[in-house]
Amino acid sequence: MIRKTLLIAFAMMTLTACSKDAPEIDDYDPARDYFTFANTGQFVTEHVTLDLDVDFEKQELRGYALLTMRRLESEAGEVVLDTRDLNIASAAVLSGEQSAAAEFRFGETDELLGTPLIVTLPPEAGERFDLVLEYSTSPESTALQWLPPELTAGGKQPMVFSQSQSIHARSWVPLQDTPALRITYEAKIRTPRNLLAVMSANNDPLAARTGEYHFEMPQPIPSYLLAIAVGNFYFAPLGEDTGIYTEPELLDASVYEFADTQAMLETAESMFGPYEWGRYDLLVLPPSFPYGGMENPRLSFLTPSLLAGDRSLVAVVAHELAHSWSGNLVTNRTWRDIWLNEGMTSYLESRLMEVIYDVGRANEERVLGYRELLGNFERVPENMQALAPRMTPRDGEDSQGTIPYHKGQLFLEYLEAAFGREAFDDFLQSYFDNFGWQTVTSELFLDYLDEHLLSAEGAPLTRANVEPWLYEPGLPDDAPVPESATLIAAAATAADWADGALATADIPVDVWSAQAVIHFINSLPQELAHNKLADLDSVYGFSETRNAEIARTWFIQVAERRYASAYPQLEAHLNRYGRGRLIAPVYSALVANGEDLELAREMFERAKATYHPLVARWIAETLEESPG
Ligand code: BES
Ligand code: ZN
């Protein structure tokens, strides 16, 4: 019970619940996507045309999707698509000059995967055809959050945004929802006149607010990168190819916080090869955005909790930008290989942080990631600790925690250390060149690594050194251990202060980075009197901090230690933020302290209307499953 509870606290991914029809492990096929119903061996989609009305009153998108498809097997007569809570009004097939209605039916609904839509092709359908589906979404769409004005910064206009990764695109577009395929797309979106629509496509910073917007996405993307947001957005430039969309209330703060974005883009290009996507803009959303950031191509979506006022949390932007190479250009074939997206991106993120800021800052973040990784090894079942696990839907919610991020990053740092930065950079560049616009499995990565680095004469590592990273739990004995001088000092300070060797007023919090403060808080010894915590809080005001990551760390400690004097501020934290990472572990810590389950439930009841449906579900599961 508790283990699952804590796991959900670290929820990052959205592969929820368990599925009954999951395959046996014995015949596990690493190249197969177990998270889609689509018969992609028989048909593939090449282009999607969307024509949608955005109806805030009914909380639905309504219109049609036209899928330009190719038949791979001439005998195949039924197209199976992924859907979830979609209403399909009609289906038709256009082929050459011909047009014919098509019969369709839904298959059995799976709680996790949604409902297969089976379309029978009329005889007219050729090898290449357009499948037109008239449809509407439902208010329960797991990808869409419909925000009433009160939940936006401006408080006057409604908003809607999507979060398609991992398997939620199917809840706003009927399609083959798998990262294994790439599509180009175009869209016509009609909105209330005063609002602006943006997509993971060619947004025009100068677009007139007409209530009708056209988008083209000429670069082929996997379905989980389909994205849309409609709201009272305005644009401000950051540099020649970069800028920000957000509500006017957040525009100035965002321009300040993310001022380094253009430099990040230029640095990334010099390190990883050309940026293939045109512009790179940011969209800063309301607090209920469930993640820190989402790498929607050309337009990363971001949580406003990054607006700390001191640029201390911008590693998330470096991360989302880096996905333009690792993830968006070279894509994991299935969700089982997510480390190829997230681990590679975390590695590139810290390389960027070194250049834009300095090695010290990058090392601080590496150490925090490593600490989180060790914590994950205590909670995640062993069979999900491998970078390339035998993962199927039955493994359940968030089966790997943040292991793909931090273990993946460490693995690449291990390779870099062995082969040297120069050789490893050459390898990465050639990897992006070679696999650009394609998908990769862990096995393909390993073969490519073998061919280019491992099998060279005198290579410092062999396949036998590398395979345990991919197929075994925990870390190999020769794994590197990140170090940061400033964080070592912060941990030592925590011990000294706890022992009484250092006065509260003499802790150098004011000169520390946010990362050092976080490490200090995390390093406080288990046994610590509440009056010591009170002392710390009264001098440094942790309960009042507006740095969301410091607040998260602090309130986890507050909850674990049952430091109830800070519970009012803890609850304010749970109401201020909606990003899963910032709040779910605080709820879990309340549950895990053994006394506060009821309180946690009450706080959740008061806050949940403000949360994204996915985050609300993670937390509800944490609170429901607990005894008591
Ligand atoms: N692509 C992820 C978010 C994601 C992962 C959504 C899996 C759904 C399923 C994004 O790039 C990400 O990793 N965000 C992190 C940022 C952090 C690691 C710098 C987040 O939201 O915390
Ligand atoms: Zn990521």
Side-chain angles (χ1 to χ4, degrees):
M1 275 309 179
I2 292 293
R3 193 186 54 72
K4 180 91 195 290
T5 299
L6 286 172
L7 243 187
I8 290 174
F10 290 85
M12 297 290 295
M13 279 163 251
T14 53
L15 305 174
T16 348
C18 291
S19 213
K20 356 180 207 29
D21 303 322
E24 287 308 317
I25 290 294
D26 289 346
D27 48 21
Y28 191 81
D29 174 0
R32 166 171 163 202
D33 183 355
Y34 291 99
F35 294 87
T36 181
F37 290 115
N39 52 341
T40 55
Q42 301 190 306
F43 298 92
V44 291
T45 311
E46 292 175 341
H47 186 76
V48 174
T49 305
L50 297 173
D51 187 303
L52 295 171
D53 284 313
V54 181
D55 186 336
F56 281 97
E57 232 152 76
K58 292 192 174 156
Q59 304 199 332
E60 68 180 33
L61 303 179
R62 189 177 51 247
Y64 68 81
L66 181 154
L67 311 185
T68 302
M69 304 193 81
R70 207 152 46 79
R71 192 193 314 239
L72 305 178
E73 280 180 8
S74 54
E75 330 73 73
E78 285 187 339
V79 177
V80 184
L81 300 177
D82 293 297
T83 73
R84 187 178 183 117
D85 299 323
L86 295 182
N87 307 300
I88 307 289
S90 74
V93 167
L94 317 176
S95 190
E97 300 291 288
Q98 316 234 37
S99 155
E103 289 196 3
F104 62 93
R105 63 184 196 277
F106 283 117
E108 203 185 317
T109 296
D110 176 283
E111 211 207 310
L112 168 65
L113 302 177
T115 313
L117 173 68
I118 303 142
V119 181
T120 308
L121 292 179
E124 292 87 338
E127 194 203 319
R128 213 155 174 278
F129 57 89
D130 291 335
L131 174 57
V132 191
L133 298 160
E134 252 186 296
Y135 75 101
S136 58
T137 62
S138 77
E140 287 74 48
S141 166
T142 49
L144 301 177
Q145 190 180 16
W146 296 88
L147 296 177
E150 316 76 91
L151 296 186
T152 67
K156 297 215 171 67
Q157 306 284 354
M159 186 186 292
V160 63
F161 63 79
S162 68
Q163 169 57 44
S164 297
Q165 195 183 8
S166 302
I167 54 170
H168 299 287
R170 64 191 67 176
S171 77
W172 66 286
V173 185
L175 42 49
Q176 299 181 300
D177 195 8
T178 169
L181 298 182
R182 303 181 96 84
I183 48 169
T184 51
Y185 78 88
E186 66 193 88
K188 192 188 287 177
I189 307 291
R190 279 169 301 276
T191 72
R193 277 197 78 96
N194 47 345
L195 300 185
L196 183 69
V198 290
M199 292 189 83
S200 51
N202 67 334
N203 299 295
D204 173 7
L206 304 173
R209 301 167 91 84
T210 58
E212 184 171 310
Y213 304 96
H214 295 255
F215 300 93
E216 302 266 350
M217 186 50 171
Q219 288 97 350
I221 57 165
S223 57
Y224 74 91
L225 295 176
L226 273 177
I228 187 170
V230 178
N232 188 33
F233 301 132
Y234 283 82
F235 176 84
L238 290 170
E240 209 182 322
D241 323 295
T242 52
I244 291 185
Y245 291 89
T246 190
E247 294 181 77
E249 291 77 7
L250 297 180
L251 207 48
D252 289 346
S254 301
V255 167
Y256 178 81
E257 204 78 32
F258 305 124
D260 295 326
T261 306
Q262 179 75 28
M264 284 184 181
L265 174 62
E266 288 166 14
T267 305
E269 286 207 83
S270 73
M271 295 174 73
F272 318 137
Y275 176 79
E276 301 279 1
W277 305 90
R279 294 189 54 82
Y280 181 68
D281 295 318
L282 306 173
L283 172 67
V284 180
L285 287 161
S288 66
F289 184 65
Y291 292 100
M294 176 63 214
E295 65 271 25
N296 297 316
R298 298 181 181 214
L299 183 66
S300 289
F301 287 19
L302 296 177
T303 167
S305 68
L306 304 182
L307 300 173
D310 59 2
R311 301 179 185 160
S312 58
L313 305 180
V314 298
V316 175
V317 178
H319 179 97
E320 306 315 332
L321 170 66
H323 270 305
S324 306
W325 289 263
S326 45
N328 300 4
L329 184 60
V330 178
T331 306
N332 51 216
R333 166 108 21 116
T334 77
W335 298 116
R336 169 262 188 176
D337 288 313
I338 193 168
W339 80 273
L340 288 167
N341 278 17
E342 298 300 345
M344 179 80 78
T345 297
S346 299
Y347 172 79
L348 300 184
E349 165 199 338
S350 68
R351 293 289 307 273
L352 278 176
M353 292 302 284
E354 278 190 11
V355 178
I356 303 285
Y357 303 99
D358 55 53
V359 183
R361 167 91 176 257
N363 283 340
E364 289 183 350
E365 313 229 30
R366 287 185 178 111
V367 171
L368 294 185
Y370 184 71
R371 217 195 100 94
E372 192 173 300
L373 177 62
L374 298 184
N376 270 247
F377 287 143
E378 284 170 21
R379 297 170 196 101
V380 173
E382 287 214 335
N383 66 328
M384 286 298 122
Q385 294 185 10
L387 288 176
R390 292 166 166 247
M391 185 197 288
T392 70
R394 81 159 58 140
D395 293 307
E397 159 91 44
D398 173 39
S399 49
Q400 292 193 282
T402 54
I403 288 174
Y405 289 75
H406 305 305
K407 183 172 173 181
Q409 174 176 354
L410 207 61
F411 172 42
L412 298 170
E413 285 169 353
Y414 169 78
L415 295 174
E416 184 203 308
F419 291 95
R421 186 164 275 196
E422 209 180 312
F424 193 62
D425 281 359
D426 289 347
F427 167 78
L428 281 181
Q429 287 247 10
S430 77
Y431 170 78
F432 292 132
D433 279 355
N434 192 64
F435 292 106
W437 312 111
Q438 298 178 44
T439 61
V440 185
T441 60
S442 295
E443 287 66 28
L444 268 172
F445 176 87
L446 181 57
D447 287 345
Y448 193 76
L449 183 73
D450 200 354
E451 193 184 319
H452 287 81
L453 287 177
L454 303 176
S455 56
E457 224 184 84
L461 297 177
T462 65
R463 239 181 133 102
N465 296 113
V466 166
E467 280 174 350
W469 287 91
L470 296 184
Y471 301 113
E472 279 168 34
L475 290 175
D477 291 341
D478 59 346
V481 179
E483 269 191 27
S484 151
T486 44
L487 294 206
I488 289 172
T493 304
D496 287 350
W497 171 77
D499 285 351
L502 185 74
T504 308
D506 294 335
I507 304 170
V509 167
D510 297 339
V511 301
W512 276 343
S513 65
Q515 288 68 29
V517 176
I518 288 166
H519 197 62
F520 168 83
I521 296 172
N522 275 333
S523 304
L524 294 173
Q526 255 335 302
E527 299 301 318
L528 198 61
H530 281 184
N531 67 356
K532 292 281 278 183
L533 290 174
D535 204 15
L536 201 55
D537 205 11
S538 73
V539 178
Y540 298 106
F542 291 144
S543 290
E544 307 293 336
T545 177
R546 287 302 139 92
N547 186 299
E549 289 284 342
I550 295 176
R552 165 191 192 266
T553 311
W554 174 248
F555 288 120
I556 291 172
Q557 296 284 333
V558 164
E560 281 177 353
R561 296 162 192 272
R562 296 207 73 223
Y563 174 50
S565 323
Y567 279 10
Q569 294 97 324
L570 177 148
E571 184 167 12
H573 173 88
L574 297 176
N575 287 305
R576 184 173 300 123
Y577 300 109
R579 176 184 177 191
R581 174 185 159 80
L582 297 177
I583 56 175
V586 178
Y587 281 105
S588 291
L590 285 173
V591 172
N593 77 23
E595 303 282 341
D596 288 322
L597 176 63
E598 265 323 302
L599 183 68
R601 285 183 176 155
E602 286 162 26
M603 289 182 180
F604 178 60
E605 282 308 310
R606 291 192 283 267
K608 78 175 180 203
T610 66
Y611 294 161
H612 189 281
L614 290 175
V615 173
R617 195 170 67 195
W618 301 335
I619 296 170
E621 282 169 10
T622 308
L623 299 176
E624 268 159 31
E625 276 168 17
S626 309

